[in-house]
Amino acid sequence: GGAGDEVDRLAGTMSGMLDRGEGGYRARQQFVSDAAHGLRSPLATMRQYAELARAHPEAASPAELSEVVLAEGERMNDIVEGLLLLARLDENPVTVSTDVDLDDLALAEVQRVRALGLRSADGRGIAPAQARADPRLIARAVRNLVDNAVRHASSTVTIGCRVVDQSALIWVDDDGAGVPVSERERVFERFARLDDARSRDAGGSGLGLAIVREIAHAHGGSARVEESPSGGARFVLVLPAT
C-alpha cells in the first residue's frame, strides 16, 4: 500500500486507543512520543539535503538528493510499519494455534545471510525445536535478530536453536562489539541509542529489538542479550515449547 493506506491505518490505531480510558490514554501518549522520536531523524536528514540542494545546487546533485530521499523514506516506512505492529501487540492478545519449527526458520535465515554475501553464516548449532506460536510474528522476530546481527558482526553471524526443559530457544550471535551489561535491558527499548558502537547503527529503524521482545512477551516467552562465545552479542528468544 501507499502512504495514504499507512496514514489511514495509523489513524485507525489511534482512534482505537482513544476509546479505552486511562490505559489507552497512556498507550496513546507513548505511541505518539515513539512516533515523533523515530520520525524526526529521517525527516531532518531529508530537509537538510533539500536545503543544501536549493542553496548550493552544485554541491548536491539531483541523483544524490533522490538517493537520500528514497533511503530515508524507506526508513520512515519501516518505522511506521514497526509502530503499527507494536501498537497491535500492545492492544490485542496473540492467539496461537500453530506449531512452528524454529529449526526451519533458523536454516532459512542462514541461507539468507549467505545469499546477502555481507557476512558468513554458521548454522551448526541448529537442532530440532518447535514452539507454539504465530508463524508470521516469530518469523519477524527471528528476522529482526538476524538483521541486527548482520549490521553489527565483524565477519560471522551464528544461528542456533534447541529445546531446553519446556522452552524452545533460538539465538543469534554476532562477533562485533557486544552489548555492555549495563545496557542489556535498555537495548530492547523503542529507539534505544547506546553509547558504544551500536549507537552509530544507521541501518535499522530503532524498533527491531523492541518488536522482538514484545513478540516474545505476547507468546508468554522472553528475550535477552548476553555475551556470545565469539565475544560479541548473543540475542536469545525463549518460547514455550510444544
Side-chain angles (χ1 to χ4, degrees):
D5 295 335
E6 289 156 6
V7 171
D8 289 343
R9 289 160 64 196
L10 277 169
T13 300
M14 298 298 290
S15 296
M17 287 182 173
L18 280 168
D19 294 335
R20 281 183 285 276
E22 182 63 24
Y25 174 78
R26 285 196 297 271
R28 178 170 58 88
Q29 291 294 96
Q30 185 62 51
F31 185 86
V32 171
S33 175
D34 288 344
H37 183 97
L39 295 172
R40 185 180 294 122
S41 175
L43 282 170
T45 299
M46 285 192 285
R47 180 173 180 175
Q48 286 165 5
Y49 268 84
E51 289 175 346
L52 176 64
R54 183 173 62 182
H56 304 284
E58 74 287 352
S61 71
E64 287 175 321
L65 179 59
S66 64
E67 279 187 23
V68 169
V69 170
L70 286 171
E72 295 301 313
E74 183 177 353
R75 186 176 170 204
M76 290 173 67
N77 184 71
D78 289 345
I79 290 169
V80 169
E81 291 294 333
L83 287 166
L84 285 165
L85 176 54
L86 286 167
R88 288 195 294 271
L89 290 170
D90 284 344
E91 298 300 313
N92 301 305
V94 172
T95 54
V96 174
S97 59
T98 307
D99 294 338
V100 178
D101 292 314
L102 298 181
D103 45 312
D104 289 347
L105 284 178
L107 286 168
E109 286 299 312
V110 167
Q111 293 167 358
R112 185 175 70 93
V113 172
R114 290 173 179 165
L116 289 172
L118 300 173
R119 302 287 185 269
S120 298
D122 183 344
R124 289 174 294 176
I126 297 172
Q130 199 172 65
R132 196 129 180 103
D134 180 297
R136 288 189 302 173
L137 288 177
I138 295 307
R140 173 69 178 267
V142 174
R143 173 67 57 91
N144 286 5
L145 290 181
V146 172
D147 286 347
N148 179 72
V150 167
R151 287 196 298 273
H152 296 295
S154 296
S155 63
T156 304
V157 171
T158 302
I159 306 171
C161 59
R162 61 183 168 132
V163 174
V164 179
D165 298 327
Q166 301 301 310
S167 295
L169 277 62
I170 184 165
W171 61 89
V172 182
D173 295 358
D174 65 65
D175 56 356
V179 178
V181 174
S182 61
E183 304 284 4
R184 289 180 182 175
E185 278 300 310
R186 196 161 71 85
V187 75
F188 288 101
E189 293 177 2
R190 298 173 191 189
F191 303 111
R193 290 291 179 263
L194 307 189
D195 293 332
D196 65 0
R198 288 181 182 260
S199 67
R200 296 187 293 277
D201 175 11
S205 68
L207 293 172
L209 296 177
I211 288 171
V212 170
R213 175 160 280 187
E214 292 300 322
I215 289 174
H217 287 172
H219 287 85
S222 63
R224 66 178 186 269
V225 59
E226 54 197 42
E227 185 174 344
S228 77
S230 58
R234 165 172 287 187
F235 284 86
V236 185
L237 179 61
V238 183
L239 300 164
T242 58

